[in-house]
Amino acid sequence: RQCMGCRERKAKRELIRVVRSPEGEVSLDFGGKKNGRGAYICPNPECLKKAIRSKALDRSLEVTIPEEVYQRLEKEMENG
């Protein structure tokens, strides 16, 4: 799996999955089992900043990522 921020390949367990469901809803998937298209990001605030700046998650999931998803990702990273 590749992080959308730093572009490094890492084990699935080391990354946070962001998923777009078949209905078009974007959410975080910690179990890695939700249906839909997934994109991965390191649990690192710097990677998140890069991904937001480059709109890498938006492109990967082919949808505009809602601001609350980015906020939830930030919270998860802070709580580690």
Side-chain angles (χ1 to χ4, degrees):
R1 309 279 183 257
Q2 187 179 39
C3 171
M4 292 284 109
C6 64
R7 314 301 278 167
E8 282 182 33
R9 294 198 177 276
K10 297 189 176 184
K12 187 176 175 179
R13 295 248 172 259
E14 296 174 31
L15 300 166
I16 299 172
R17 183 172 190 241
V18 182
V19 65
R20 185 199 71 210
S21 70
E23 296 79 44
E25 186 182 318
V26 178
S27 61
L28 302 185
D29 178 15
F30 296 101
K33 300 275 189 258
K34 284 187 182 174
N35 265 351
R37 184 171 178 82
Y40 296 83
I41 190 155
C42 294
N44 176 340
E46 283 305 307
C47 289
L48 180 59
K49 282 183 191 142
K50 284 182 193 169
I52 292 170
R53 234 187 347 258
S54 67
K55 295 206 179 297
L57 287 171
D58 298 54
R59 278 198 313 274
S60 179
L61 298 178
E62 300 165 351
V63 68
T64 301
I65 306 293
E67 186 60 37
E68 56 267 20
V69 172
Y70 286 131
Q71 289 168 355
R72 182 140 180 251
L73 272 168
E74 279 177 15
K75 277 198 186 84
E76 288 298 327
M77 291 175 184
E78 285 167 13
N79 299 337

